[in-house]
Amino acid sequence: MSREAGEAAYERLKQSMARDKTLPEGFMSLLRADLDTVLKAYFEYGESDLRAELTPWAGEGYTLTVTLSAPRAKQVKLL
């Protein structure tokens, strides 16, 4: 995944959460897809190995819990 794609996914998530305190329909599917795109660049895992849970706080904000069961990390090529 390119840095630009990661930044675009981050901005999309940030704008969506700032725009509306109630999550739109399909938000978790979009979030999971973005997480999957980022994590697949670093790990090898199956479809059911990625879990994401978003819990609203009593006040403002959310807690995002991501669980990934990956048997191995991919070889990362550094510059």
Side-chain angles (χ1 to χ4, degrees):
M1 170 190 236
S2 70
R3 180 177 177 185
E4 292 82 21
E7 288 175 357
Y10 169 75
E11 284 301 317
R12 183 169 54 181
L13 172 62
K14 186 170 83 171
Q15 289 173 5
S16 178
M17 293 181 83
R19 181 177 56 245
D20 190 359
K21 295 301 179 191
T22 60
L23 299 176
E25 185 176 329
F27 179 83
M28 284 305 295
S29 295
L30 177 64
L31 177 60
R32 189 183 185 293
D34 285 345
L35 288 169
D36 189 53
T37 300
V38 171
L39 293 172
K40 285 224 175 189
Y42 298 98
F43 298 98
E44 294 178 10
Y45 59 93
E47 178 74 24
S48 63
D49 294 331
L50 174 62
R51 292 180 298 285
E53 180 180 325
L54 194 63
T55 308
W57 294 347
E60 292 185 20
Y62 300 90
T63 298
L64 173 63
T65 305
V66 178
T67 305
L68 176 65
S69 301
R72 66 185 143 272
K74 292 183 176 179
Q75 178 117 10
V76 179
K77 295 179 184 175
L78 302 174
L79 296 176

